[in-house]
Amino acid sequence: MAEKKNSLVNVHSKLTVVSSRPIGPGKTHQLSPLDHAMGRHSIHIVFYYRTNPFLDSSDLNSLRLSLSELLCSYPLVTGRLAAQQPAEESHGGGGGGDNYWVVKCNDAGVRMLWAKVGATLDEWLGFGSGSDERDLTVWEDMPDDPSIWSPFCIQISDFEGGGLAIGLSCSHMHADQTSATLLVKSWAELQRGEPISQPPVFHQFPTPDSKTNTMLSKFYASKPKDRVPKQQMATATFRFPDAKMKQCLSEIHMECPDATPFDALLALFWTRVVRLNPPVEQNHSHYLTICRDSRKLIHPPLPIGYFGNALHFSRLLLDTEALQSWGLERVAGIVHNHVASVEEEEMCSVMDCFKREKGEELERYEQPFVMYGPELTCVSLEHMIIPGGPKGSTTTCDSLMYEAMFRKDEKPVHVSYHVGNVEGEGLITVMPSPEGGLGRTVTVTLPVDQIAKLCEDEAVLDLDPTMLMSGKR
């Protein structure tokens, strides 16, 4: 029997929070083909605060009240999943593969957990690990019968000395990273007595009139539907300062003037990971999947509050020799050109890749893919930066996740993002930093032996990162 981990997090109470105004009967929401494709995965976000704004019973009661008010605007969050068959086959007891998921907006509520952490916030961020951080959110796979299962869970964890973590977990079928972030940000706004600034929008993702992109279709067809052999993984978080990122980009801009912090950091970590795990064959090709938000990249653009999945996955290929011999500037330029070349038609046609037509009206959805894997996958959260200041400015620039303030002017000191059931080579997430400007935070999940080497890699350390969740306790 495997030895149980000694957790610093003790969950001491659970409750269910429902909306303050009942939802009318019979309301349902059909998930999109892309939502269905994300069915293997889950989203986990942890917001860390220096001080706990909910110290007494009246504060805690107001927190539950603001959450109940929030849920009135988010019927999908309080509902439950139900499998439905297409109308033409419902009488015949068709196979489960023909089903599609809908959310019954029945106001069943959101599960809420309360926990104590046996460490201070600084001790946790300095010496905790990615494995420890899992204990700040709920990790559950969807059960065979999800009719009484809460797809959204919130965990509030008190640190010794006054710090606080608010952890949100949800099924990836329901929401992507942006939707989940705005859910917490909207909750914080209501807690402050302010209106929701980016209200949720629940209409369907647009379906293209054009035919499916052939290359895109082949890419998704290559995604495995069976489990990929698992290996022991570990996570490290690097926070790169604005000054060092500015210096790095100034060198890259000599070859690629429009390169972004995302381009630079993706090129850095991709080349370093290849060096940590060299292939047996020298001419081996390395695939990298890049995941981006597509809300503002299609026409007409989706509102930032679109609730669901609006992600676009694309694949970039380079061989070992290029990744090991080319300079960072050249690889960053390749990444930038790839990202810039993705066209709107390709982003919209992704829906056709996850849908098979049967007759004129009946739709069947493909089974969930391993979307985050098996190749190394990188997620960009650059779109969450709120525009402000002149181009290239290094002044503080707000980001959506750092606007989740439950008390005015008390921003999170750190926000982490994780995806459940990542399989294969690993996951890299590039996100804004609380410092603002060009500063970035990068979370990397790789096999255990590779993470240990990456944390000592000279090319990474040259950018003077602050290591968070280093796992040295």
Side-chain angles (χ1 to χ4, degrees):
M1 180 180 293
E3 183 179 353
K4 186 176 180 180
K5 185 185 72 170
N6 183 22
S7 177
L8 291 171
V9 182
N10 175 37
V11 176
H12 55 77
S13 62
K14 301 178 183 179
L15 56 89
T16 298
V17 180
V18 299
S19 59
S20 58
R21 295 186 297 277
I23 298 169
K27 182 178 179 60
T28 62
H29 176 83
Q30 183 175 333
L31 298 176
S32 75
L34 178 55
D35 295 334
H36 281 77
M38 308 303 296
R40 287 181 181 266
H41 303 291
S42 53
I43 295 290
H44 305 266
I45 311 177
V46 183
F47 297 78
Y48 292 95
Y49 298 87
R50 176 65 59 188
T51 59
N52 185 346
F54 316 115
L55 296 177
D56 56 42
S57 58
S58 62
D59 288 332
L60 295 177
N61 187 52
S62 71
L63 182 66
R64 289 192 290 266
L65 289 175
S66 62
L67 179 57
S68 292
E69 182 66 23
L70 172 76
L71 296 178
C72 296
S73 299
Y74 285 87
L76 269 65
V77 172
T78 63
R80 296 293 182 263
L81 282 169
Q84 293 196 0
Q85 291 181 317
E88 288 88 339
E89 295 187 356
S90 59
H91 62 279
D98 295 342
N99 295 338
Y100 60 89
W101 292 108
V102 299
V103 179
K104 289 188 174 181
C105 303
N106 55 8
D107 199 21
V110 170
R111 186 150 56 111
M112 196 171 189
L113 293 76
W114 302 85
K116 291 282 188 181
V117 183
T120 67
L121 177 61
D122 288 333
E123 288 171 342
W124 181 270
L125 292 178
F127 306 112
S129 67
S131 177
D132 292 323
E133 193 169 46
R134 288 177 62 97
D135 295 334
L136 297 180
T137 62
V138 176
W139 292 72
E140 293 179 344
D141 289 331
M142 184 176 71
D144 292 336
D145 178 11
S147 60
I148 59 173
W149 174 68
S150 176
F152 286 79
C153 295
I154 295 171
Q155 180 172 321
I156 299 180
S157 304
D158 297 313
F159 290 93
E160 293 180 353
L164 181 79
I166 296 180
L168 173 71
S169 57
C170 67
S171 159
H172 211 324
M173 279 202 300
H174 284 71
D176 58 16
Q177 292 86 340
T178 304
S179 296
T181 299
L182 287 176
L183 176 66
V184 177
K185 178 178 178 290
S186 299
W187 181 18
E189 289 169 338
L190 290 180
Q191 178 67 22
R192 299 197 310 264
E194 301 174 6
I196 297 175
S197 58
Q198 284 111 359
V201 177
F202 298 109
H203 62 67
Q204 289 291 323
F205 196 94
T207 300
D209 295 328
S210 57
K211 295 182 179 180
T212 302
N213 180 285
T214 303
M215 291 185 61
L216 192 64
S217 181
K218 290 180 179 179
F219 166 50
Y220 286 116
S222 70
K223 288 283 187 181
K225 296 179 182 178
D226 297 326
R227 291 290 182 186
V228 176
K230 287 191 175 183
Q231 51 186 324
Q232 188 176 3
M233 308 291 276
T235 298
T237 298
F238 307 83
R239 180 173 290 169
F240 296 97
D242 173 87
K244 276 293 184 177
M245 286 303 305
K246 184 177 182 181
Q247 178 183 336
C248 176
L249 281 172
S250 68
E251 298 171 0
I252 292 175
H253 284 167
M254 289 187 289
E255 181 159 331
C256 182
D258 296 323
T260 67
F262 173 76
D263 302 330
L265 289 169
L266 177 50
L268 171 66
F269 281 98
W270 192 15
T271 56
R272 304 323 294 177
V273 169
V274 168
R275 285 173 169 83
L276 295 175
N277 189 28
V280 177
E281 306 134 1
Q282 187 61 22
N283 62 350
H284 179 77
S285 296
H286 289 271
Y287 289 99
L288 176 76
T289 291
I290 300 177
C291 173
R292 304 164 62 207
D293 185 82
S294 63
R295 285 169 174 80
K296 299 299 181 184
L297 301 178
I298 61 175
H299 183 77
L302 287 170
I304 191 67
Y306 170 78
F307 197 87
N309 284 281
L311 299 175
H312 178 75
F313 293 80
S314 61
R315 177 181 283 174
L316 180 57
L317 171 67
L318 285 177
D319 61 39
T320 301
E321 182 179 0
L323 286 167
Q324 291 185 339
S325 62
W326 289 357
L328 184 64
E329 300 86 353
R330 189 171 180 183
V331 178
I334 295 292
V335 171
H336 177 80
N337 291 336
H338 170 81
V339 171
S341 68
V342 176
E343 297 179 351
E344 177 190 346
E345 180 180 350
E346 178 180 328
M347 292 186 176
C348 288
S349 68
V350 68
M351 288 300 175
D352 279 349
C353 296
F354 297 129
K355 183 173 65 177
R356 291 178 298 171
E357 297 295 336
K358 180 183 177 184
E360 295 182 357
E361 298 178 355
L362 181 61
E363 293 180 352
R364 294 186 181 201
Y365 296 127
E366 291 281 4
Q367 295 178 2
F369 297 87
V370 177
M371 296 298 293
Y372 296 88
E375 63 275 343
L376 186 66
T377 304
C378 185
V379 178
S380 171
L381 299 182
E382 295 277 278
H383 66 284
M384 291 199 192
I385 298 175
I386 302 171
K391 184 178 181 181
S393 171
T394 59
T395 58
T396 299
C397 187
D398 291 331
S399 304
L400 292 177
M401 65 278 285
Y402 292 106
E403 288 296 300
M405 299 180 290
F406 285 83
R407 284 188 176 176
K408 195 170 181 62
D409 299 327
E410 196 163 329
K411 298 186 177 184
V413 296
H414 177 58
V415 182
S416 69
Y417 290 80
H418 299 279
V419 176
N421 293 324
V422 171
E423 300 179 6
E425 296 181 15
L427 178 68
I428 301 169
T429 302
V430 181
M431 67 197 85
S433 169
E435 177 189 9
L438 299 178
R440 294 293 184 271
T441 299
V442 181
T443 298
V444 184
T445 299
L446 295 172
V448 173
D449 60 331
Q450 294 183 32
I451 278 289
K453 296 176 183 177
L454 186 68
C455 291
E456 299 175 353
D457 187 273
E458 291 185 4
V460 174
L461 297 180
D462 279 346
L463 291 180
D464 293 342
T466 297
M467 299 289 293
L468 303 176
M469 309 298 293
S470 59
K472 296 180 180 180
R473 72 175 177 90

